[in-house]
Amino acid sequence: MASHRKSRPVGTRVAGIRTPAIATAALTSVALLSQSANAAPADDKPSLEEVEKKVDDLYRQAESATDNYNAAKEKTTKQRKQVDTLLQDVAQRTQKLNEAREELGSFAAAQYRTGAAAPDTATFLLADTPQDYFDQTQLMGRLTSRQKGAVDDYVSEQSVTMKKRQEASQSLQTLTETQSDLKTAKATVQKKLADARDLLSELTAQEKARLAAIEKQKQQEAARKAAELAQQQAAAEKAAQEATTPQQSTPTAPDSSYATKAAKALAFARAQIGKPYVWGATGPDSYDCSGLTQAAWKAAGVDLPRVTYDQVNAGTTVSLADAQPGDLVFFYDDISHVGLYIGNGMMIHAPKPGAYVREESIYYDGESAIHSVVRPA
């Protein structure tokens, strides 16, 4: 006989209690949502350390682009002077050619008046050169030696003038290209700095405080490393003095002429402390890093190139252990920063946008950031 018992609803047990199908579906949905929440990626906002690194990288990239800007600016200035000189020369030569053409025209007119020939003035003006004209009209044989000399001078001057015009045209083209490079470098610097400002502007007050604490910790570590270097250099100097006889000189000590020049460079640099870093600036109210070192050594009578990757080749490379006051300390693989060593592991430099010329440990960005030390004179 068929059973009249109803089939059991499909369900599950939760803590020993059978749950209906609808409740089971609800629980399943909750479980799935919980899993989804757990599996969802965490807030992808970068950590404070990542922000700091990104900002530092952007400032470094901006400094590198600043060097490109400085180089293009210097090149533009030189090329503009060259173009101006060439154009002035061409203008003067053109004036002389016009005067000579008038004189040659008077020669032709004189021949016409004597009946020796009937030259056409239009033919003279349209001829490729006066020589061609006089050859065509068979007047050269009838000209006096003074007149022939005038023709020869005209032909020679015309050739030189044409060459100068070509040089001026090429220089103008080069100047246009360099000005384009200058514009590109300027835009790159501005973009990097804007990106850095945007990153910093997104930080909360608490995050900015934490960032300042991280920076302070880095400065303390840099100061510790600078003190270690100062001790090492002092020990090395003492050992050298003890091993030196009166007839010998200390190998690591700079000569008196260098020390005198370095003292002047350092005195100038110290007088700039507190002035703002401005990219592309060479003083007197603001500086970028290479602008400061260039100005400092110029005050000592030594001309340094404008940009860091040229300054690094403007002297003798020495080891960090042998660094002396006045030496240039370069940073990073791309040589995008430079400071003026003052001794005891410290330097004077124009650090970055938003900062001011200051004394700071050469380890301000870690020992690995130091590229080389150069003695410029």
Side-chain angles (χ1 to χ4, degrees):
M1 187 171 80
S3 172
H4 295 285
R5 182 180 298 174
K6 295 182 179 179
S7 60
R8 293 181 179 179
V10 179
T12 59
R13 289 180 178 271
V14 178
I17 303 175
R18 181 178 293 142
T19 58
I22 294 178
T24 301
L27 288 172
T28 303
S29 298
V30 170
L32 289 173
L33 287 172
S34 177
Q35 292 174 1
S36 298
N38 292 334
D43 186 3
D44 59 357
K45 183 179 179 180
S47 68
L48 200 58
E49 289 75 13
E50 290 173 334
V51 170
E52 182 196 31
K53 184 179 184 305
K54 182 65 175 176
V55 169
D56 286 346
D57 285 346
L58 286 169
Y59 279 141
R60 278 189 52 205
Q61 292 169 24
E63 270 203 304
S64 181
T66 295
D67 264 353
N68 293 335
Y69 171 84
N70 290 338
K73 185 178 179 180
E74 186 176 42
K75 189 176 180 181
T76 297
T77 301
K78 291 180 179 178
Q79 288 176 343
R80 186 177 286 114
K81 289 180 180 178
Q82 182 182 18
V83 168
D84 289 344
T85 300
L86 285 169
L87 290 177
Q88 185 177 8
D89 187 22
V90 167
Q92 292 173 348
R93 290 180 180 277
T94 300
Q95 178 63 29
K96 289 174 63 178
L97 282 175
N98 290 337
E99 294 172 356
R101 181 180 286 271
E102 291 177 1
E103 184 179 3
L104 293 177
S106 67
F107 294 162
Q111 293 292 339
Y112 175 74
R113 286 194 300 271
T114 61
D120 182 359
T121 302
T123 303
F124 172 75
L125 295 176
L126 293 175
D128 291 336
T129 69
Q131 186 71 51
D132 291 341
Y133 169 75
F134 283 100
D135 286 346
Q136 292 167 10
T137 58
Q138 299 179 348
L139 286 174
M140 286 300 293
R142 299 184 179 88
L143 294 179
T144 65
S145 60
R146 183 178 70 83
Q147 292 171 337
K148 290 180 179 179
V151 172
D152 291 339
D153 290 344
Y154 181 91
V155 173
S156 175
E157 185 65 27
Q158 187 184 53
S159 175
V160 173
T161 301
M162 290 179 64
K163 182 178 179 181
K164 292 294 183 181
R165 283 174 179 168
Q166 292 175 349
E167 290 179 8
S169 177
Q170 292 171 354
S171 294
L172 279 171
Q173 177 63 30
T174 303
L175 176 60
T176 300
E177 294 171 355
T178 306
Q179 287 175 327
S180 177
D181 294 340
L182 182 67
K183 184 177 180 180
T184 299
K186 181 177 181 179
T188 301
V189 175
Q190 292 173 328
K191 178 66 167 60
K192 299 298 182 183
L193 296 180
D195 288 346
R197 287 194 298 269
D198 289 345
L199 279 173
L200 291 173
S201 67
E202 294 174 358
L203 297 178
T204 65
Q206 184 178 8
E207 287 173 329
K208 289 179 181 178
R210 284 178 54 204
L211 196 61
I214 293 174
E215 180 65 22
K216 184 177 180 180
Q217 187 177 6
K218 284 176 60 178
Q219 290 176 354
Q220 291 173 342
E221 175 61 18
R224 185 187 67 79
K225 292 287 295 182
E228 286 182 2
L229 178 61
Q231 291 175 352
Q232 293 170 4
Q233 290 179 330
E237 183 177 354
K238 182 179 179 181
Q241 288 175 347
E242 291 175 349
T244 301
T245 63
Q247 290 76 28
Q248 294 175 325
S249 60
T250 304
T252 57
D255 59 45
S256 59
S257 63
Y258 177 78
T260 300
K261 292 176 182 178
K264 291 180 180 179
L266 288 172
F268 178 93
R270 284 194 175 93
Q272 313 313 309
I273 290 177
K275 293 183 179 180
Y277 175 103
V278 174
W279 64 274
T282 57
D285 299 321
S286 57
Y287 298 88
D288 62 18
C289 66
S290 57
L292 176 64
T293 52
Q294 183 188 47
W297 270 103
K298 185 176 182 179
V302 177
D303 290 326
L304 292 181
R306 175 64 182 93
V307 296
T308 54
Y309 49 77
D310 287 332
Q311 288 185 5
V312 75
N313 296 316
T316 304
T317 300
V318 298
S319 68
L320 183 58
D322 290 334
Q324 298 289 343
D327 292 349
L328 303 177
V329 185
F330 295 91
F331 298 86
Y332 311 116
D333 291 339
D334 59 356
I335 318 174
S336 57
H337 189 67
V338 62
L340 193 67
Y341 191 63
I342 61 177
N344 297 326
M346 301 292 288
M347 67 179 173
I348 297 174
H349 70 148
K352 60 185 178 182
Y356 297 83
V357 176
R358 65 193 184 202
E359 290 187 11
E360 192 165 25
S361 167
I362 61 173
Y363 299 102
Y364 78 104
D365 201 21
E367 187 172 2
S368 63
I370 299 174
H371 177 275
S372 57
V373 180
V374 171
R375 189 158 299 156

